[in-house]
Amino acid sequence: MTSDDGPTPAPPPRTLADHVAPALTSGTGFFRAPYHPATRRAVAALAVGWVWHLAAGLPLWIIVLVSAGLVPALGIGVPMLAFWLLLARRFGTAERARIARQTGVRVPAPGRRPAPARRTFWSRLWAPVRDDRAWSATLYAFLGMFTTSVFFSVAAALAAGAVAGMAFTLVGQDSSLAQWSGLPWAAVVVGALAAAVVLVWAAAALAQYGSYLVVRLATVLLGPSAAEVAHARAAAAEQETRVAEAAAHTARERAAVLTESRTAAVSAADTERRRIERDLHDGAQQRLVALGVELGVARRLADKDPEHAVAALELAHREIKETLAELRDLVRGIHPAVLSDRGLDAALSALAGRSPVPVRVEVTGDLTPASAAAQAAAYFVVAEALTNVAKHAAADMIRVHASLVPDGRPVRLRVAVSDDGRGGAELSAGSGLAGLRGRVAALDGTFELDSPPGAGTRLTVEVPCAS
């Protein structure tokens, strides 16, 4: 979206404070604080967290301290300390789930404790004691209890004061407070109402801030450690580097393939041009020269020897028909007219009709979405394959199947030619199959040849329809 002064800047990314405590980050969030969804989430999180921390967090903190104090006494507290630190880990897992459920903020889980090098009884016993994340969860149990207790109590007191102020405005004609303060009754009511409104806003903002502090404590003490975060960032950077290197390598390979395919396409086009030139010179041109000679003979003999003139004209007529047939075949080799007039389906049927080996053509769906270049490539692949089968395969049946493959972008035209001949076909340099592969590669297509000896040959070509 743009304006006269340039493109409209994108909105800033949503932060943790924007989600949990919008009353502290924007004026709109502050004015909407009493009825903002974040306030409802914050009050629920503080209330449930207060009960949860008093019931589970505070006892866990006390027992861990007691167990740690008993460790110097001949190590009596070590098993107790290891057990309760394991429970501290579970407490952290439960607290992360509660925070995600009530505030919508997902605190990442810390990494697993490193396994001891020697798995003896004492190494397994001391592993929880050396787990810094377990100690952090224990510290969170105390700080979370303190935070939820303070903020929930103060917010509840402010809300109760707001309710009292609201109730005072509905008392009626009781003027004792007005008489005591020396102010008119209306002024006292307005002041009480204003105080109630201020207390409501203060309670909402304080509840949001308390919830934000709890989430921040959980992120620091229950989430991954600084070393784990640094390691994760380094691993992510390394992964991005590998992906970039792989993409660069793929791009280089792609460029090499495109260069090779373009070179093959140019070479194939030059070879085709030379073939057409040779066919015209050796075939149609020589026939036209012979036709001129026969017509000249017929003209000279027209008066002197009419019978020989008629014979010369008949020979010239045959030459004309043969020349036309040869030119028709030559044009068909450049671009068949039936392909332009009636589509690939009819063109494949025409190829099958001229094949000396029986051919069964199967077309699935509508092939018209394929581009003219894709259909022409498929046509010449089938034509060359049918010629090779007739010459070399000694096959009894050929099957041609054409369809569109929709599971890709762009949609691809797939043509498969299979026979039951002797197999053993190879993509040798300079062969017709190699030329076809170059034609398909120039269109960014795929060319697969499967021809095990004695098991027939299957040729599969896929060409993008939008090529």
Side-chain angles (χ1 to χ4, degrees), residues 1 7-13:
M1 182 176 180
T8 303

Side-chain angles (χ1 to χ4, degrees), residues 332 338-339 342-355 357-363 367 378-379 382-383 386 400-402:
R332 186 183 297 114
V338 65
L339 186 60
R342 299 171 56 192
L344 182 59
D345 192 349
L348 295 180
S349 299
L351 286 176
R354 294 196 300 269
S355 174
V357 181
V359 180
R360 184 174 63 186
V361 178
E362 299 176 357
V363 176
L367 303 181
Y379 174 86
V382 174
L386 294 183
V400 178
H401 183 266

Side-chain angles (χ1 to χ4, degrees), residues 393-407:
D396 297 324
M397 174 62 69
I398 305 174
R399 181 176 177 268
V400 178
H401 183 266
S403 63
L404 296 181
V405 183
D407 58 340

Side-chain angles (χ1 to χ4, degrees), residues 422-440:
R422 61 168 60 99
E426 296 181 355
L427 278 170
S428 57
S431 64
L433 290 177
L436 290 178
R437 182 176 62 176
R439 179 193 291 266
V440 172

Side-chain angles (χ1 to χ4, degrees), residues 33-391:
Y35 55 90
H36 198 286
T39 302
R40 295 194 295 271
R41 294 194 299 265
V43 172
L46 288 177
V48 175
W50 178 57
V51 175
W52 163 247
H53 286 104
L54 286 179
L58 183 59
L60 176 66
W61 164 260
I62 295 174
I63 294 176
V64 168
L65 288 183
V66 171
S67 301
L70 292 177
V71 169
L74 302 177
I76 298 175
V78 172
M80 292 177 56
L81 182 60
F83 174 76
W84 289 107
L85 286 175
L86 287 176
L87 285 187
R89 272 268 188 169
R90 301 297 185 270
F91 173 81
T93 302
E95 181 66 2
R96 288 194 301 271
R98 183 190 70 82
I99 291 175
R101 179 85 175 188
Q102 293 194 288
T103 67
V105 178
R106 296 190 177 276
V107 178
R112 294 179 177 273
R113 299 188 307 275
R118 299 179 59 189
R119 297 188 60 83
T120 62
F121 172 77
W122 286 106
S123 64
R124 288 195 298 268
L125 189 62
W126 275 101
V129 179
R130 294 194 299 266
D131 184 9
D132 61 333
R133 291 292 89 187
W135 288 102
S136 297
T138 305
L139 178 60
Y140 172 84
F142 172 76
L143 294 179
M145 181 272 302
F146 178 79
T147 305
T148 54
S149 299
V150 170
F151 279 90
F152 179 70
S153 301
V154 176
L158 293 176
V163 172
M166 292 291 184
F168 179 77
T169 61
L170 303 176
V171 167
Q173 300 298 324
D174 186 2
S175 60
S176 58
L177 182 58
Q179 294 175 357
W180 175 78
S181 62
L183 298 174
W185 170 250
V188 173
V189 171
V190 171
L193 183 61
V197 172
V198 171
L199 290 177
V200 166
W201 252 266
L206 195 65
Q208 291 187 18
Y209 184 58
S211 178
Y212 172 73
L213 286 182
V214 171
V215 173
R216 288 293 299 168
L217 281 173
T219 303
V220 174
L221 298 177
L222 300 182
S225 63
E228 291 174 345
V229 172
H231 179 73
R233 289 177 179 174
E238 184 179 358
Q239 178 66 21
E240 291 180 358
T241 302
R242 287 198 298 266
V243 170
E245 291 177 352
H249 179 70
T250 302
R252 289 193 296 269
E253 290 185 345
R254 177 68 174 162
V257 170
L258 288 176
T259 302
E260 181 182 355
S261 63
R262 297 302 184 267
T263 303
V266 171
S267 177
D270 185 66
T271 302
E272 186 68 11
R273 181 184 61 79
R274 293 179 182 277
R275 182 189 68 80
I276 294 172
E277 180 183 1
R278 184 176 62 253
D279 290 346
L280 288 174
H281 180 273
D282 297 341
Q285 181 178 339
Q286 299 301 324
R287 288 186 180 277
L288 289 175
V289 172
L291 176 61
V293 173
E294 293 297 333
L295 290 177
V297 171
R299 185 182 61 182
R300 289 194 301 271
L301 296 178
D303 296 331
K304 300 178 182 179
D305 192 351
E307 293 183 359
H308 285 83
V310 171
L313 288 175
E314 290 180 353
L315 182 59
H317 184 255
R318 287 197 301 271
E319 287 290 341
I320 290 174
K321 292 194 294 185
E322 293 177 0
T323 301
L324 289 176
E326 188 169 333
L327 288 175
R328 191 179 299 113
D329 292 338
L330 182 62
V331 171
R332 186 183 297 114
I334 299 174
H335 188 80
V338 65
L339 186 60
S340 301
D341 297 339
R342 299 171 56 192
L344 182 59
D345 192 349
L348 295 180
S349 299
L351 286 176
R354 294 196 300 269
S355 174
V357 181
V359 180
R360 184 174 63 186
V361 178
E362 299 176 357
V363 176
T364 302
D366 183 16
L367 303 181
T368 53
S371 63
Q375 294 191 33
Y379 174 86
F380 286 112
V381 166
V382 174
E384 181 70 21
L386 294 183
T387 301
N388 289 342
V389 172
K391 288 182 179 179

